Amino acid sequence: MKLERKHALVLLGIAIWNVVTYVTFIKNLAATEGRPTGYYVAHTVLIVVNLLIAGLLGTWGVRALKAARASASASDSDSGSAGKVNA
């Protein structure tokens, strides 16, 4: 499957959303007191996993965006030279 610019933007949007929501979750978790240790361990694991997912999706988004730009510039240069005839 070829990823286009719109796919890259969706991946980047999801990655940014994950980072924003889980940074907020970290702040809220740090303000919580009186919970059992398992509560903090479980939520810390969730935070770490989701931030890793955000990093992965962000990386894929950046790569897809770069590939879409390279593809667009390659097709622009191909269409620009199509009208020229070598004599």
Side-chain angles (χ1 to χ4, degrees), residues 49-80:
V49 168
N50 279 289
L51 289 177
L52 288 173
I53 290 170
L56 179 65
L57 292 177
T59 301
W60 286 349
V62 168
R63 287 182 182 176
L65 195 59
K66 287 181 181 179
R69 286 183 182 165
S71 175
S73 67
S75 65
D76 288 346
S77 66
D78 289 343
S79 64

Side-chain angles (χ1 to χ4, degrees), residues 3-4 9-10 19 26 28 33 35-36 42-43 45-46 48 53-55 57-58 61 68 71 76-78 81 84 87:
L3 294 178
E4 297 176 5
L9 294 176
V10 167
V19 170
I26 291 168
N28 293 337
E33 294 180 16
R35 300 281 187 159
H43 285 87
V45 169
L46 287 173
V48 169
I53 290 170
L57 292 177
S71 175
D76 288 346
S77 66
D78 289 343
S81 63
K84 296 180 183 178

